[in-house]
Structure formats: structure tokens, C-alpha cells
Amino acid sequence: MVYLIKICFYLRKEKYMENVINRKEIAPGVYFSSVTDSRYKFNNISVNFFNVLDEKTASANAAAFCVLTTANSQYPTYKQLKNRLLRLYGASVQPVFGKRYDLQTIGMSAQFLDDAYALDGEAITAAITDIMTDCLFSPVLENGIFPEKTVELEKQTIIDRIEEMINDKRSYAVNKAVSLLCKGEPAEYFSCGTVEKARALTPQDVYDAYKNVITTMRCEIICVGSNDFKQAEEKFAKAFGEITRAPAGFTITRSSLKEQPLFETETMSVSQSKMVLGFKTQSDDDDALSMVQKIYGGTTSSKLFRNVREKMSLCYYCFASLNSEKGMMLVQCGVENENIEKARDEIIHQLDEIKNGNFTDEDINVSQVTVTNNSNTIYDSVGGVENWYLDRIIRDKVETPTQYAERLLGVSRERIIEAANSLVLDTVYVLTGVEKGDDQ
């Protein structure tokens, strides 16, 4: 079975050899990367700034890029910018913000038709790049700062995003569990800050945040599509070359293990309880940890799915995810109130089974197939490729999906057992309630 997996993998690898990232520094702390693949009809350009997440500035940073993508000096109203994008075959430019490990990532992203498919030979890529650089460096100002009306509207966008997370009980439970796991660390905070801080923002606050981001934060520009993006590189290099930058460095640290596991329960009006178990590790064998995650709770043949969900019917859903840079593995499940303790104990027991070597060669083979399939599907969209490389760049582990999968195919049973034994329970968070209410 393993030989068949490797044969299929290498055949697929040959097919996608062209998906190699080209990356260079074009200004202090500004890196331009491109991946060209002639199969794509649409292109993606993302401009990503990132630094250590700070609760004090998270809301202002996110709001700044919401403001920046509403207009620029060439198209000074939202309607004018929107109409221009519509004329570019329905292109879009939108803000992006999120959290990766200890970092807040903020910026903007554009999706648009490649030049080769324009009816009149229009240079869409150049036009989109001009729009993005104008948004970044020629924003609409009012008395030297962002317009008050625009700021008020985009503050609400941030508030809505935070409230959406709270209303989605699965997302809320995961975010709350991560906050407990990473107490006292940057990863404790939500990527957009808090409703209170967002509501208190002034136009000056948001403008100051914008100036700080573009002058002090590291920037990664990633282009994916069938274009060679040479013009885009030149335009971004020129735009960033006209400002003074002093980019700050950052580090991502492994989360420290608590002396004793933390058990916390929160009550809300929910019809189905959510439980998140957080395990921590100091192992640096990320490949073996990835295989543990697949065998434990990463496939429909995993121990959590087969035993906790299907065989014992303790959970509506139950799966594991790995955050290797922070040294954490999370298990998420939806469970009835009366089954919380049984499900918790069985989830821990299934990890103990892997620690004791109680898994089969078939478990390994299925996990390898999953790894191979997942690496292949990354190439299915420009967004998937962009997301893959941004994550690898942040982690300073730039490699192709196929290179990553190739390594995992060589992980031994012994390394899997050793990695599993490095995982220690740190936090159990339960969101529960006796009342029935809106449950997302």
C-alpha cells in the first residue's frame, strides 16, 4: 500500500513541478513572491503585513485596512472604486486580517481575471496593481487623517466580525480555549481585538495605526496565477521604495505547559455543548506530530472519528488539529451535557492508545493518503497556494506542498509513538448550558 501511495505521489509531483515560488526582497522588510501556473484563469495578489499580536493595537490595525480598501486618490469614493473593479471583469479588492500563531496578519487581497482572457487585451494585472498601491499609499484623507464617516462605518465592520465569532459557538469555543491555553502570550488575543476597543477608535487612532503598519511591519506580497507578475513586482518595488521603512523583527514561541491542567466551564444558552481539549508539546519533530494528528483525529478513519464519534456515539463531531509552531494540538467536539465527562475521558484514552503503539499499518497508510491528497488539493486554487506559502514564509520553512508531503511519507512508527508521548493535557474548556438557544 505504501509503495502505491508513493508512486501516485511522485506522478503528481512531476505534473506540478512548475509550482515553485520565486521570492525576493524589493524594499526593507518587503518581500515579493510569485507562483506562475498556466492552468489558472484567475490571479490572486495579496499584500500581507504582520507582527506580534497586541490587544492594544489589533482593532485599529484591522480597521485601517478596512478603510484603505474603500477608496483611493484615483477613485475617491467607494462607488467609483467598485465601478472600476466591475469594469475589470468583476475584480475584487478586500481587506484581510487574521491571527497566525503569535502574529496578527493584516493587509489586502485582490482576485481578478488574467490578462490573457480579457476581450480587448486589457492589462488587468497592471490595473489591479495600480489600484492596490494607490489604496496603500494614496488613501483618501480629510484634514490629514482618515474621513470620520468612513472610519465609523469600518469600525462597525470590525465589531460585526468580533460579534460573529461570539455568536458562532464553535468558533467562540475554539477561540476561548486558545485564549486559556496561551494565557499571557500574544496568541491569547482575538485577531480584531475587542468590541470595546473597536468602538472607541477615532480617525486619528486608525490613521496612526496605518502609518505604523506600512513603515514598521514586515510585508509579504504573494502573487499566484498564470501571469509572470513582472510588472506587479516593479510597481510594488517603486511604491515601497518611496517611503522610509524600519521593519521590526518578531518571534513565535512555543506555548509553555501549565503545572496542572486547567478545567474551565462556561454557561451560555446553547442546545449542544462544545468541548475543546488542548494538549501541548515541546517536541520539534513537526512531521511526526502531523502524522499523530492524522491518526488521532485528522481523517474519517481516525481514532476519534471511529471510536468516540461512531462506535461510542459520544460526540456529534470530534476531530484534532495541530498548531506546531505553538506546540499545541486541539481536539474539538460537540457533545450532549450528559456525555461531557465520558467524551473527555475517551478522547484522552484514544491518544494514550497511540502513545502505547496501539495503531495499525493501515492507520499509517490512510494518514499518508490523506497527506498526499491534501498536498495535491492545495494546487486547485490560487487562494490555496497563496495561503500555503504565506504560512510557510511566516514559519521560515519555505517549501512546496509536495516537498512537505514527501517528508511525511517517510515518518516511521517509532517517531509517531515518540511524538505522541510528548503531548500533555494542558487545558479543557467546555461551553455548555441547560437552556436551548441559537446555536451556530
Side-chain angles (χ1 to χ4, degrees):
M1 178 68 175
V2 69
Y3 296 110
L4 180 59
I5 294 170
K6 290 185 176 181
I7 289 171
C8 293
F9 171 78
Y10 285 116
L11 288 173
R12 184 81 177 196
K13 181 180 177 183
E14 289 298 319
K15 184 177 179 180
Y16 291 104
M17 282 296 287
E18 61 184 351
N19 285 289
V20 176
I21 189 169
N22 297 299
R23 183 169 178 264
K24 65 175 71 172
E25 188 171 17
I26 60 173
V30 180
Y31 298 84
F32 185 91
S33 301
S34 62
V35 179
T36 300
D37 188 321
S38 59
R39 295 178 306 122
Y40 298 127
K41 292 181 175 60
F42 287 84
N43 299 330
N44 186 96
I45 297 178
S46 67
V47 181
N48 309 277
F49 296 88
F50 48 89
N51 207 342
V52 175
L53 179 59
D54 185 341
E55 187 187 26
K56 296 177 182 178
T57 59
S59 297
N61 290 344
F65 280 84
C66 289
V67 171
L68 289 173
T69 51
T70 61
N72 60 34
S73 60
Q74 295 299 310
Y75 306 98
T77 68
Y78 176 78
K79 182 177 180 180
Q80 289 173 321
L81 178 57
K82 185 69 174 178
N83 285 340
R84 174 56 177 150
L85 291 170
L86 286 172
R87 290 195 298 272
L88 291 171
Y89 299 88
S92 65
V93 176
Q94 60 276 321
V96 293
F97 36 84
K99 177 173 71 175
R100 293 178 187 253
Y101 317 112
D102 283 329
L103 308 179
Q104 181 185 32
T105 59
I106 47 179
M108 61 179 66
S109 178
Q111 291 79 41
F112 54 96
L113 188 71
D114 185 68
D115 299 5
Y117 300 96
L119 295 178
D120 300 318
E122 190 169 2
I124 304 174
T125 304
I128 290 294
T129 307
D130 286 338
I131 289 172
M132 295 182 80
T133 54
D134 284 344
C135 286
L136 280 169
F137 300 108
S138 299
V140 175
L141 302 180
E142 185 178 86
N143 300 320
I145 57 177
F146 289 140
E148 183 174 2
K149 183 177 180 180
T150 304
V151 170
E152 288 301 314
L153 288 171
E154 299 312 319
K155 280 167 53 176
Q156 190 59 48
T157 299
I158 301 302
I159 292 168
D160 291 345
R161 176 69 67 92
I162 297 170
E163 290 180 342
E164 283 173 13
M165 182 275 295
I166 295 172
N167 292 332
D168 182 334
K169 299 305 187 295
R170 285 180 65 166
S171 295
Y172 175 81
V174 173
N175 279 283
K176 186 62 179 287
V178 170
S179 294
L180 295 172
L181 278 157
C182 300
K183 190 71 174 177
E185 303 168 16
E188 173 186 355
Y189 306 113
F190 185 52
S191 62
C192 295
T194 65
V195 169
E196 292 73 23
K197 289 192 178 298
R199 191 168 284 134
L201 290 174
T202 67
Q204 187 70 59
D205 294 333
V206 180
Y207 183 73
D208 289 345
Y210 153 69
K211 297 297 288 186
N212 180 67
V213 169
I214 64 169
T215 56
T216 69
M217 286 192 182
R218 182 168 144 192
C219 179
E220 292 285 345
I221 303 166
I222 302 180
C223 305
V224 184
S226 56
N227 197 279
D228 64 11
F229 300 107
K230 294 296 184 183
Q231 272 192 310
E233 178 186 334
E234 293 170 2
K235 290 176 180 290
F236 278 115
K238 183 177 184 298
F240 275 98
E242 293 174 352
I243 66 171
T244 300
R245 280 177 50 83
F250 63 85
T251 57
I252 301 172
T253 59
R254 288 286 175 105
S255 188
S256 57
L257 182 68
K258 297 178 178 60
E259 292 185 3
Q260 295 292 331
L262 171 67
F263 296 86
E264 180 159 323
T265 299
E266 184 174 2
T267 301
M268 285 189 181
S269 180
V270 295
S271 58
Q272 180 192 108
S273 295
K274 317 294 180 187
M275 179 164 59
V276 182
L277 287 79
F279 300 87
K280 289 183 179 178
T281 175
Q282 291 302 314
S283 171
D284 59 2
D285 192 348
D286 292 349
D287 295 342
L289 287 167
S290 293
M291 290 299 292
V292 172
Q293 180 263 331
K294 297 293 185 298
I295 295 170
Y296 182 38
T299 74
T300 54
S301 297
S302 67
K303 286 185 172 291
L304 292 181
F305 189 91
R306 282 188 290 122
N307 295 297
V308 183
R309 183 185 185 276
E310 295 294 296
K311 183 178 178 180
M312 303 181 72
S313 299
L314 292 174
C315 302
Y316 294 97
Y317 62 88
C318 190
F319 62 92
S321 59
L322 178 65
N323 185 328
S324 57
E325 288 300 293
K326 291 297 293 177
M328 303 188 306
M329 185 176 290
L330 301 183
V331 176
Q332 303 177 43
C333 65
V335 58
E336 294 291 347
N337 292 352
E338 62 268 21
N339 289 330
I340 289 173
E341 290 188 12
K342 291 179 183 177
R344 181 195 65 202
D345 293 344
E346 189 58 33
I347 288 167
I348 295 171
H349 172 69
Q350 291 302 322
L351 181 58
D352 288 340
E353 288 286 279
I354 301 176
K355 291 180 178 182
N356 294 327
N358 294 328
F359 56 95
T360 66
D361 289 343
E362 181 64 19
D363 292 329
I364 297 176
N365 291 339
V366 169
S367 297
Q368 290 175 331
V369 170
T370 300
V371 169
T372 303
N373 289 340
N374 289 348
S375 72
N376 291 338
T377 58
I378 289 168
Y379 296 117
D380 289 345
S381 69
V382 290
V385 176
E386 183 267 339
N387 185 64
W388 169 268
Y389 280 114
L390 178 61
D391 186 69
R392 293 284 143 175
I393 288 167
I394 288 175
R395 297 169 62 184
D396 196 25
K397 298 176 181 177
V398 181
E399 61 184 346
T400 67
T402 50
Q403 288 170 332
Y404 166 75
E406 185 177 24
R407 286 205 325 275
L408 262 63
L409 293 181
V411 174
S412 66
R413 163 181 285 271
E414 291 71 26
R415 285 173 61 191
I416 294 171
I417 293 172
E418 183 177 358
N421 276 282
S422 73
L423 290 161
V424 180
L425 182 65
D426 180 272
T427 299
V428 178
Y429 170 76
V430 177
L431 176 64
T432 188
V434 293
E435 299 179 56
K436 290 192 175 182
D438 293 333
D439 184 24
Q440 306 297 321

